[in-house]
Amino acid sequence: MTSKWIRNFAISAGLSAVAALIPLTAQDNDPDRAVKGGQFPAGWNVRPDRGTPDQIKFDITGGVYHFAMGSAGTFYRSDWTKSGNYKFSARLTQQAAPSHPISYGLMIGGSDLAGPKQTYSYFLVRNQGEYFVANREGDQRPSTVVAWTPNPAIVKQGADGRQTNTLAIETQGDNVIFSVNGQEMTRLPKSKVHTDGLYGFRIGHNLDVDVDQIMR
């Protein structure tokens, strides 16, 4: 056994060990699917994470909002604004199992959503029965406020790939209360999130999500 063979073996073993430490999400190959969209209900807009709105389909039928996503996107309309004390809630249903955990939920406190200085906060769930709160500031990566946290009140994805939960965000004085299915997940001081401004929905890429029972 030569010293050269030993050196090459050590290098190979080291690279394998490093690869094992890379998170599975970084190794996942899940490109945005092809969706023919771009025509939205009157007054509605989307800021896609990638590409153009043509890669996202959104329609409203009988009070149910249907989202079919290529890229992930943030949906809003100029006359949906809130400030002070308010409550915004909706029932969201994931229609089919994603290839890996992908999130969806509510957006509040939006400003400049069509421009370079976008800001908003969002409250999301995903199929494993977890919730998440984060802020978005311009083109920077979202900053986590509450990391992914499991809670038994969140209905998990079923065997048929469907998952239905009612999400709510309520502002009361200096408190912002985040709830799922009527159960409080967490409450935060207003200083931790954006609350005044546009509100709407945040839907992850490649998902089919229906939204109804909207209360605003």
Side-chain angles (χ1 to χ4, degrees):
M1 185 179 300
T2 67
S3 59
K4 182 178 180 180
W5 184 92
I6 294 173
R7 183 172 63 255
N8 288 342
F9 176 80
I11 292 172
S12 177
L15 291 174
S16 297
V18 170
L21 294 174
I22 298 174
L24 290 177
T25 52
Q27 300 178 47
D28 185 61
N29 181 21
D30 186 26
D32 297 340
R33 65 181 177 174
V35 173
K36 185 178 291 186
Q39 299 296 318
F40 298 154
W44 279 96
N45 302 282
V46 65
R47 180 168 184 139
D49 284 12
R50 293 169 296 278
T52 70
D54 292 339
Q55 297 165 279
I56 295 171
K57 184 177 181 181
F58 169 33
D59 61 74
I60 302 174
T61 306
V64 180
Y65 293 44
H66 307 280
F67 299 92
M69 309 301 292
S71 169
T74 303
F75 295 84
Y76 63 97
R77 51 183 296 155
S78 61
D79 58 348
W80 278 32
T81 63
K82 294 231 180 245
S83 62
N85 293 335
Y86 65 84
K87 184 175 183 179
F88 171 40
S89 68
R91 183 174 68 174
L92 297 96
T93 300
Q94 172 188 284
Q95 294 294 320
S99 61
H100 61 94
I102 303 174
S103 55
Y104 55 95
L106 308 180
M107 179 275 294
I108 61 169
S111 65
D112 197 35
L113 294 186
K117 297 181 179 179
Q118 62 170 334
T119 61
Y120 59 88
S121 297
Y122 51 81
F123 175 39
L124 309 177
V125 294
R126 62 183 182 185
N127 59 350
Q128 297 171 322
E130 302 169 307
Y131 74 92
F132 180 80
V133 181
N135 292 327
R136 187 67 185 260
E137 312 279 354
D139 291 330
Q140 300 177 17
R141 292 182 62 83
S143 58
T144 299
V145 179
V146 179
W148 284 110
T149 304
N151 190 289
I154 303 173
V155 176
K156 295 182 179 181
Q157 174 183 301
D160 60 357
R162 289 169 58 87
Q163 178 189 29
T164 299
N165 289 283
T166 296
L167 278 63
I169 304 173
E170 184 173 4
T171 62
Q172 294 181 353
D174 188 49
N175 293 310
V176 186
I177 304 164
F178 300 84
S179 304
V180 178
N181 301 325
Q183 299 296 310
E184 183 177 316
M185 299 292 105
T186 189
R187 65 175 59 202
L188 301 167
K190 273 190 172 182
S191 60
K192 294 290 186 181
V193 292
H194 302 287
T195 58
D196 294 350
L198 298 164
Y199 65 97
F201 307 100
R202 170 74 187 173
I203 312 294
H205 84 141
N206 294 348
L207 287 180
D208 291 288
V209 173
D210 283 358
V211 179
D212 64 357
Q213 297 184 11
I214 298 167
M215 299 184 66
R216 58 187 190 88

